[in-house]
Amino acid sequence: MRGGNRRAPAIRAGRLVRIRRATEADQPALTALRDDAEIDHFMGVDSSPTAWLWRHIPLGEQSSALTDLLVTTLDGLPIGLVSLWDRSVPHDAAELSIWLGSQHRDRGLGTEALRLSLRYAFDDLELHKVYLRVLDYNLRARRAYEKCGFVVEGYLREEMRVNGTWHTLIYMGVLGPDFEAAEARQGPLGDEPRVPPAIA
């Protein structure tokens, strides 16, 4: 990928959550949060014997992501993970995935974490586009993505079979101007101060 410092510290804070680069030391907390049947359901992970592979969270040198961002409360409690996955061709785009633990959903934390992550992606990493895939029945996530400027770009019909039922996979993408327009509609997150590295 061109542009941006891919190893720059990822430290942003909003009114409810902050994000920082995840490290291997975060793995126990994230593993405990990821042990969640609802996350499995919305990621399309069923009860097959190989499902455990989708629950493993590689971090640090083990991770193949462009960056893994730990989502925490303002006082540093880990609550979820955002990952940006590099494309194999240099077009300044990345695929996004996000999940939060069960006690931290339906409170606006995920939407704020998504906004902070997109701000980091477009401003710090200088990406041109961020895209994602979401299952058709994940209405809560789709609403959050739309709030942040994502638009539907395509459908893969009956692409994933989850517990015996075929479901459509929806491709959504957001460009920098889309995100800025969405931010203008939602209003500022605050100053989004960068937290000193010593307490990150």
Side-chain angles (χ1 to χ4, degrees):
M1 271 191 185
R2 296 174 287 108
N5 183 353
R6 294 336 191 208
R7 293 297 172 188
I11 304 171
R12 285 183 175 269
R15 293 194 177 100
L16 302 173
V17 301
R18 63 178 177 142
I19 59 171
R20 65 165 171 82
R21 188 177 299 282
T23 69
E24 292 181 22
D26 299 312
Q27 193 137 27
L30 287 172
T31 297
L33 287 167
R34 180 62 187 82
D35 186 15
D36 184 335
E38 187 172 337
I39 295 175
D40 283 349
H41 175 65
F42 286 120
M43 286 190 169
V45 179
D46 59 20
S47 54
S48 67
T50 59
W52 67 271
L53 293 169
W54 294 96
R55 300 187 189 103
H56 178 62
I57 306 168
L59 296 173
E61 294 303 316
Q62 298 180 6
S63 176
S64 59
L66 172 64
T67 189
D68 294 301
L69 303 172
L70 183 73
V71 184
T72 75
T73 59
L74 294 180
D75 59 3
L77 177 71
I79 63 173
L81 187 70
V82 178
S83 295
L84 290 166
W85 304 89
D86 201 353
R87 269 209 312 215
S88 59
V89 290
H91 293 307
D92 289 336
E95 182 172 6
L96 180 143
S97 66
I98 179 172
W99 58 265
L100 297 184
S102 60
Q103 297 179 6
H104 310 288
R105 296 194 280 263
D106 296 315
R107 294 160 51 192
L109 306 182
T111 298
E112 184 168 286
L114 184 59
R115 292 174 68 187
L116 292 171
S117 299
L118 289 172
R119 177 60 65 198
Y120 172 70
F122 288 119
D123 289 359
D124 295 56
L125 298 184
E126 299 178 12
L127 295 181
H128 175 70
K129 181 178 182 178
V130 176
Y131 63 99
L132 54 81
R133 294 170 287 175
V134 59
L135 282 158
D136 52 3
Y137 56 75
N138 195 348
L139 301 180
R140 177 176 56 201
R142 289 165 59 185
R143 285 193 295 268
Y145 300 148
E146 289 167 354
K147 277 185 185 177
C148 295
F150 282 88
V151 297
V152 173
E153 297 186 334
Y155 299 88
L156 293 179
R157 296 180 302 154
E158 298 191 7
E159 179 72 5
M160 294 182 68
R161 184 166 58 187
V162 183
N163 291 324
T165 301
W166 289 101
H167 292 279
T168 294
L169 198 59
I170 302 172
Y171 272 73
M172 302 181 74
V174 60
L175 304 175
D178 302 329
F179 175 61
E180 295 300 343
E183 287 290 275
R185 290 192 296 271
Q186 294 192 79
L189 280 170
D191 294 335
E192 296 177 18
R194 292 185 177 274
V195 181
I199 62 171

